[in-house]
Amino acid sequence: MIHIQNLTFRYKKQEALFTDLSFQQGNGSIVGLLGKNGAGKSTLLQLISGLLRPQTGKLSINGFKPFDRLPDFLADIYMVSEEFSFPSITIGVYIKATSPLYPKFDSQKMKNLLEEFELDPKKNLNSLSHGQRKKFLIAFALSTNCSLLILDEPTNGLDIPSKSLFRKILVGSVTEEQLVLISTHQVKDIETIIDKIVVLDQGKIVYNETVFDISKQWQFKTVASLSGMETPIYQEKCLGGHRIIVPTNSIEETEIDIELLFNAIIHKVTLKSESHAV
């Protein structure tokens, strides 16, 4: 459970990145955290994981204040950073040394995931490619069974088959007791697995909707021409015509185009919902 209320954070000698930021999210979801460069995504993840401390406001993760870095807090949260490094040891030794830090670690799941990712436990971590090390880190994170998993750009460095396998493994591994928070620019890599979209812009959460609610409200289409149809709420030119967002109807339901939705949000298009408007 993430509970953020009226949070303010600034780096030294800089203007506040977050002012009066509030956000809540319970377990049982895979949430996509989206935003432009400089929007504050990485900073927010570091605040949630206890690597940074807010100046004011309330920040509670699973009932703990993250920056206190208490053992029980650290044992139930795992963050896969975009940048990472390993000691010069084998996969097997790393697992043996590190897994005891996580009481819910599942050794059999770890073994299965290594097999699916085609990773040899006898291999030295620093002899692996960047993509292979990223796959190992993802496999280890999922095997911890922590209630909060934070994945920062998890598909960077993965080839196309590995991205597909990542999606399959993530959906098959996560339980209703867990919350997965994915921050990424590669929206196409996650659009089929997330069930909530949160957009951060200029230090504020400007959009917070479930995929189910978005599908009920909007259709995402590619059309050859805009003539003869009601003006879309948002449109972009593309090869062969236009990508558009229009109100949904009872006849047809379309897949969500997260990239198009994100662009509409950043361009300040009003997307109303039953609960609130952006």
Side-chain angles (χ1 to χ4, degrees):
M1 162 68 84
I2 297 173
H3 181 82
I4 301 172
Q5 184 176 357
N6 307 121
L7 181 144
T8 297
F9 176 81
R10 64 170 54 83
Y11 291 102
K12 289 183 179 180
K13 300 181 180 179
Q14 295 185 22
E15 293 183 2
L17 179 56
F18 299 127
T19 302
D20 200 32
L21 180 74
S22 295
F23 174 65
Q24 290 192 53
Q25 180 60 52
N27 292 355
S29 292
I30 300 177
V31 179
L33 177 63
L34 312 179
K36 298 186 294 185
N37 290 334
K41 300 188 304 299
S42 294
T43 298
L44 181 58
L45 297 183
Q46 291 179 59
L47 286 162
I48 290 171
S49 58
L51 298 174
L52 293 173
R53 185 177 198 170
Q55 278 78 32
T56 62
K58 295 181 179 179
L59 175 56
S60 173
I61 307 298
N62 297 331
F64 294 95
K65 292 181 180 179
F67 197 73
D68 289 347
R69 306 285 287 175
L70 295 176
D72 286 346
F73 166 75
L74 295 174
D76 206 23
I77 178 174
Y78 197 93
M79 180 174 178
V80 176
S81 300
E82 183 177 9
E83 301 294 333
F84 52 87
S85 61
F86 290 109
S88 185
I89 57 177
T90 66
I91 287 175
V93 170
Y94 184 93
I95 294 169
K96 185 176 181 180
T98 311
S99 61
L101 299 174
Y102 302 94
K104 293 183 285 187
F105 190 87
D106 187 334
S107 297
Q108 186 60 49
K109 180 189 282 190
M110 182 80 246
K111 181 181 178 181
N112 294 341
L113 292 179
L114 289 179
E115 290 176 357
E116 289 207 62
F117 275 134
E118 297 181 337
L119 295 171
D120 183 352
K122 297 178 182 178
K123 288 285 188 180
N124 190 296
L125 283 162
N126 288 329
S127 72
L128 303 177
S129 68
H130 178 79
Q132 289 174 315
R133 286 183 289 163
K134 175 66 74 70
K135 287 190 287 186
F136 167 70
L137 203 53
I138 291 169
F140 188 89
L142 293 174
S143 299
T144 66
N145 290 313
C146 288
S147 62
L148 176 58
L149 299 177
I150 300 173
L151 310 180
D152 191 6
E153 300 291 352
T155 59
N156 276 5
L158 300 185
D159 56 23
I160 293 174
S162 294
K163 289 180 180 182
S164 177
L165 185 57
F166 160 74
R167 291 189 290 268
K168 171 192 167 187
I169 286 174
L170 182 64
V171 171
S173 297
V174 175
T175 70
E176 288 296 318
E177 287 72 43
Q178 292 177 288
L179 169 61
V180 181
L181 188 57
I182 304 176
S183 174
T184 185
H185 291 96
Q186 312 295 328
V187 294
K188 293 293 183 183
D189 291 342
I190 65 167
E191 62 183 1
T192 60
I193 61 174
I194 59 176
D195 50 37
K196 193 170 191 181
I197 297 171
V198 176
V199 177
L200 196 60
D201 189 41
Q202 297 180 342
K204 299 182 181 297
I205 291 176
V206 296
Y207 194 74
N208 183 0
E209 288 284 353
T210 67
V211 168
F212 178 76
D213 285 338
I214 295 169
S215 296
K216 287 198 305 181
Q217 299 167 69
W218 308 110
Q219 290 180 326
F220 301 81
K221 300 180 176 180
T222 299
V223 296
S225 172
L226 299 177
S227 63
M229 65 179 300
E230 185 178 345
T231 302
I233 191 168
Y234 182 73
Q235 65 91 13
E236 291 179 354
K237 288 186 177 181
C238 66
L239 287 175
H242 302 262
R243 299 158 66 203
I244 64 172
I245 302 176
V246 294
T248 192
N249 58 51
S250 58
I251 301 174
E252 180 185 8
E253 184 175 306
T254 63
E255 291 185 1
I256 297 173
D257 185 331
I258 295 183
E259 184 178 305
L260 192 64
L261 177 69
F262 175 78
N263 290 340
I265 294 165
I266 295 302
H267 283 87
K268 313 299 182 185
V269 173
T270 299
L271 299 168
K272 296 181 180 179
S273 72
E274 295 175 0
S275 56
H276 59 275
V278 174

